[in-house]
Amino acid sequence: MPRILVLCAVVLLLSTLPVQAQFVPTFEPAPCPIRYAPHYDVTCGYVVTPEHHSDPDGATIRVMVAIFPARSATPAEPIIYLQGGPGTSGMARFASGLDSFGETFIQNHAFILLDQRGIGNSLPSLDCPEINELHDSALGGQACYDRLVADGVDISAYTTVESAGDVIASADALGYEQVSLFGSSYGSTLAMTVMRHYPDRVRSVLLEGVTPPEVDLSTSWASSLQRAWDQVVADCDASERCAAAYPNLDAMLVEVVQRLNAEPLALQVTDPNTGELIDLTVDGEAVLSGLQSAMYSYALVPRLPLLIAALYAGENEAVIQMAESLAQNNIDRQSEGAFYAMRCSDDVLMTNVEADQAVLASVRPIFAEHFRDGYTSWEPTCALWGTQLDPVENTPVVSDIPTLMLNGAYDPVTPAHWADAAAEQLTYGYSYTFPESTHGVLPDFCATRIVDQFLADPFTEPSHQCLDRYAGVAFQLP
């Protein structure tokens, strides 16, 4: 048969085959579940996107977004915010108004808050009220899992890779060809996953509390907390007044932990939900857990030496105040099912108990003992909730997308050297550590100035001499 006739036959055959329709994400306006200040003129709604992006004909989910419009008449690309956790609402972070970063963004960019799949106001929700109802994370987690599966939720769809597809689906539904990303903590993992899979759709990336995909977060808790505490001790020792008030601060912590593990302290504190007094038992492990939680807060870090000294001296009032502050910060705002599914897939299933034991062997005894079951305790949870990802998701992101990384010197979970190492894989990667910040960066004059420069010209390293102006944390004295 002549070649021309063969080609015609092939074309005719192909034209008779069914064409698979490509899924087109849509935006459905909806009332804002959070009452933002009227002057922001926020629009809310759902982005309808596939449950599995590889199966466009399958089930769909709804990801909620809140859109803060740009004030400029000729705005640049929008900035999509990716919250940490995983499991906490991006829309809720700014419920009381935008911080300095957000106010900087909306001068020239629409700022889009995204509740990631399964989280916050997105549907279906992977919130697990059963955990609080049963007062047991294992039994409540199992009951939650069973309910979600019975309702038709495919837990294997709740991964960072699928969530990265939602970010681009949101851009498509809202009509944006390119976007910039702002990721906090776990949100930085998600942002870097978008960079890996959808590089042509991203103009620039801003990250804080940086958690690169290649790090083993689930085996790092002990070393990260020890490093952050050592920073507190070093900075106190460097201050004449702090060193005089709290000599041998590290030795104080060791003695407090050992003493309270042997003989726990019984206290009463105010429940932030009910206002009622509740009994609280403080042992050495609770002190270390409280230390880690406190180091998430800019306001609490200056009080840490005072707290440890009070415990050392047997004075309870400072401990009660700190416990009540931490309880207020830890009111349940998390979609636990999403937390389990994504943390298991991203971290626990990407490492092993041998790696965990190696880290524990490298830290001081009180930190090793505190986290001795940190990895193994996750194994039953991840057998239920986890999905094994392609190993490439646990490798560094290599990219020429401009990326600004902001880190805190007192960060107890995502140390600054992770961002420094990740930046080396990026052609235009800039990593800065703020000496007074914790997990995430306080949006003060210096950080806001650096961010503003970066957004205006992300291919040029921003001026960062303002970092030299920090005087250091003023630790509270007795």
Side-chain angles (χ1 to χ4, degrees):
M1 182 181 293
R3 178 178 292 182
I4 186 64
L5 294 180
V6 173
L7 291 174
C8 289
V10 170
V11 171
L12 181 62
L13 175 63
L14 292 176
S15 68
T16 64
L17 295 177
V19 177
Q20 184 177 14
Q22 184 177 4
F23 186 91
V24 178
T26 57
F27 175 71
E28 298 178 348
C32 288
I34 294 173
R35 187 173 296 176
Y36 298 107
H39 69 272
Y40 288 122
D41 194 24
V42 178
T43 298
C44 294
Y46 292 103
V47 173
V48 182
T49 182
E51 185 177 45
H52 285 278
H53 289 281
S54 60
D55 183 15
D57 295 326
T60 59
I61 63 170
R62 283 168 167 72
V63 175
M64 179 157 257
V65 296
I67 306 163
F68 289 68
R71 290 178 176 146
S72 170
T74 56
E77 83 289 345
I79 297 172
I80 298 180
Y81 175 63
L82 307 175
Q83 171 68 315
T88 52
S89 166
M91 294 175 63
R93 171 172 172 175
F94 298 99
S96 59
L98 298 181
D99 60 16
S100 296
F101 285 166
E103 292 290 349
T104 295
F105 296 158
I106 64 172
Q107 298 309 310
N108 294 301
H109 308 259
F111 187 35
I112 301 169
L113 311 182
L114 184 149
D115 271 1
Q116 297 150 32
R117 59 171 54 203
I119 296 170
N121 302 286
S122 292
L123 300 173
S125 167
L126 269 63
D127 189 32
C128 290
E130 295 89 344
I131 292 175
N132 286 332
E133 292 166 1
L134 297 175
H135 304 288
D136 187 300
S137 58
L139 293 177
Q142 179 71 62
C144 179
Y145 180 91
D146 292 342
R147 171 180 57 80
L148 291 171
V149 171
D151 288 344
V153 176
D154 183 353
I155 301 299
S156 71
Y158 290 83
T159 67
T160 299
V161 175
E162 293 291 351
S163 193
D166 298 341
V167 175
I168 300 306
S170 298
D172 289 340
L174 298 173
Y176 300 123
E177 183 61 31
Q178 267 203 326
V179 297
S180 287
L181 306 175
F182 175 27
S184 299
S185 192
Y186 163 77
S188 67
T189 308
L190 176 54
M192 296 188 82
T193 302
V194 177
M195 292 169 65
R196 189 196 307 277
H197 291 277
Y198 306 95
D200 294 340
R201 302 297 301 275
V202 181
R203 176 179 181 261
S204 65
V205 177
L206 167 64
L207 306 175
E208 63 172 357
V210 183
T211 315
E214 68 271 19
V215 302
D216 288 334
L217 184 63
S218 61
T219 64
S220 69
W221 302 110
S223 59
S224 295
L225 179 57
Q226 177 179 284
R227 182 180 291 105
W229 170 248
D230 287 349
Q231 187 69 51
V232 170
V233 173
D235 289 350
C236 181
D237 287 346
S239 164
E240 183 177 348
R241 297 180 66 196
C242 188
Y246 311 111
N248 304 313
L249 185 57
D250 187 57
M252 285 185 186
L253 175 66
V254 173
E255 181 169 330
V256 164
V257 169
Q258 293 173 343
R259 184 202 310 159
L260 292 180
N261 275 336
E263 189 175 345
L265 186 65
L267 299 175
Q268 284 194 320
V269 300
T270 302
D271 186 320
N273 293 305
T274 65
E276 298 177 354
L277 287 176
I278 57 173
D279 294 327
L280 179 68
T281 300
V282 180
D283 60 9
E285 304 313 309
V287 170
L288 290 173
S289 294
L291 180 68
Q292 184 184 46
S293 296
M295 295 187 79
Y296 277 75
S297 168
Y298 313 111
L300 296 182
V301 166
R303 295 165 58 186
L304 290 178
L306 177 65
L307 170 69
I308 299 306
L311 282 167
Y312 183 78
E315 300 168 358
N316 296 343
E317 185 58 35
V319 182
I320 292 172
Q321 292 176 3
M322 180 72 81
E324 290 177 347
S325 296
L326 292 175
Q328 185 66 41
N329 291 341
N330 290 331
I331 294 175
D332 179 31
R333 299 184 180 95
Q334 189 174 60
S335 297
E336 294 90 349
F339 174 71
Y340 293 152
M342 294 179 188
R343 184 58 68 216
C344 286
S345 301
D346 284 351
D347 297 311
V348 180
L349 297 183
M350 286 291 192
T351 187
N352 53 58
V353 69
E354 290 77 18
D356 186 49
Q357 292 301 313
V359 173
L360 295 179
S362 71
V363 299
R364 298 195 294 278
I366 63 166
F367 297 103
E369 180 65 18
H370 181 62
F371 291 100
R372 67 188 182 280
D373 299 324
Y375 177 82
T376 56
S377 65
W378 273 93
E379 290 178 327
T381 299
C382 293
L384 189 66
W385 293 88
T387 298
Q388 193 71 56
L389 299 179
D390 188 318
V392 73
E393 304 302 337
N394 196 223
T395 62
V397 172
V398 179
S399 176
D400 59 3
I401 298 172
T403 305
L404 174 63
M405 303 182 181
L406 308 180
N407 318 287
Y410 297 112
D411 194 323
V413 287
T414 60
H417 70 88
W418 286 357
D420 295 340
E424 293 179 2
Q425 305 293 324
L426 306 172
T427 307
Y428 302 98
Y430 320 113
S431 179
Y432 306 117
T433 299
F434 287 72
E436 297 178 7
S437 285
T438 57
H439 184 56
V441 171
L442 186 68
D444 61 10
F445 75 97
C446 182
T448 303
R449 180 181 301 174
I450 291 174
V451 167
D452 197 27
Q453 292 178 71
F454 173 75
L455 291 174
D457 182 9
F459 290 96
T460 300
E461 181 173 9
S463 172
H464 53 280
Q465 286 85 357
C466 58
L467 287 168
D468 298 331
R469 294 173 56 184
Y470 287 100
V473 168
F475 292 108
Q476 188 172 342
L477 300 176

